[in-house]
């Protein structure tokens, strides 16, 4: 059975990344209003061995990009993970959105059964395209988007579920 993998990826990533961009705006405004150094928000972690806010944005970006590269078979856009400010993170989100939007639907669709191999230092994971998108990429992407949201919420930024979901 054919699955419109493009519909399950590109618009999902774009919407969540746009919402994340707006959430970052609220975080930045909160810091300014409360006289909090922005670095306090950027360095926020849920626990010591988890990535900070910057890392969460980078990994969400990488998840979206990586999906389009692996499933769509397109050239990756390298991002150096050198973001240090809210402005840098917003620029990364914008670049990621532009990249995701640039991937033609016909390069992603029809890849439900294509083999996707992820290589890690301790081994590799093999997926069929549909399973990769639904069972790995989407949960991983939303893990990092949710964690970024939670970090700002934990720091007192007045955001809620509708900020996460965006305009419905």
């Amino acid at each position: 059975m054919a699955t419109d993998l493009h519909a399950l990826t590109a618009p999902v990533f774009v919407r969540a990344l746009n919402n994340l961009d707006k959430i970052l705006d609220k975080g930045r405004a909160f810091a300014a209003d409360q006289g909090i150094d922005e670095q306090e928000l950027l360095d926020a972690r849920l626990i010591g061995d988890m990535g900070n806010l910057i890392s969460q944005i980078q990994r969400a970006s990488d998840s979206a990009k990586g999906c389009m590269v692996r499933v769509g078979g397109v050239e990756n856009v390298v991002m150096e993970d050198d973001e240090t400010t809210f402005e840098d993170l917003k620029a990364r989100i914008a670049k990621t959105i532009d990249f995701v939007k640039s991937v033609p639907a016909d390069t992603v669709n029809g890849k439900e059964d294509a083999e996707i191999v992820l290589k890690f230092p301790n081994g590799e994971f093999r997926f069929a395209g549909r399973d990769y998108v639904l069972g790995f990429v989407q949960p991983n992407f939303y893990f990092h988007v949710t964690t970024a949201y939670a970090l700002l919420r934990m720091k007192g930024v007045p955001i809620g579920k509708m900020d996460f979901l965006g305009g419905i």
Side-chain angles (χ1 to χ4, degrees), residues 6 27 37 41 47 64 67 132 140-141 150 164:
H6 190 268
D37 185 349
L41 300 181
I47 193 162
C67 178
Y132 169 68
N140 188 56
F141 175 75
F164 183 87

Side-chain angles (χ1 to χ4, degrees), residues 39-165:
Q39 200 62 47
E40 182 179 333
L41 300 181
L42 295 167
D43 289 340
R45 298 172 187 269
L46 292 177
I47 193 162
D49 67 349
M50 284 183 74
N52 62 12
L53 178 64
I54 293 169
S55 176
Q56 300 305 324
I57 304 296
Q58 292 167 340
R59 300 300 71 82
S61 165
D62 289 345
S63 293
K65 288 186 324 120
C67 178
M68 305 313 284
V69 168
R70 290 182 185 100
V71 178
V74 297
E75 186 80 21
N76 192 15
V77 172
V78 176
M79 297 185 192
E80 298 295 332
D81 288 350
D82 57 1
E83 295 82 14
T84 60
T85 66
F86 275 98
E87 202 56 44
D88 292 343
L89 293 174
K90 290 175 62 59
R92 182 179 181 125
I93 288 170
K95 189 174 180 180
T96 304
I97 289 169
D98 288 344
F99 173 71
V100 168
K101 285 181 172 180
S102 77
V103 177
D106 63 354
T107 66
V108 176
N109 289 335
K111 303 286 181 72
E112 298 82 21
D113 297 319
E115 184 177 48
I116 307 292
V117 180
L118 298 181
K119 295 184 181 197
F120 296 98
N122 58 346
E124 63 183 34
F125 295 100
R126 294 180 178 277
F127 302 92
R130 182 186 307 108
D131 296 334
Y132 169 68
V133 167
L134 297 175
F136 184 82
V137 173
Q138 285 184 345
N140 188 56
F141 175 75
Y142 276 113
F143 173 86
H144 293 293
V145 171
T146 301
T147 302
Y149 166 89
L151 288 169
L152 291 174
R153 187 73 179 99
M154 175 187 75
K155 287 296 191 176
V157 176
I159 52 179
K161 188 174 188 177
M162 293 312 294
D163 295 296
F164 183 87
L165 295 174

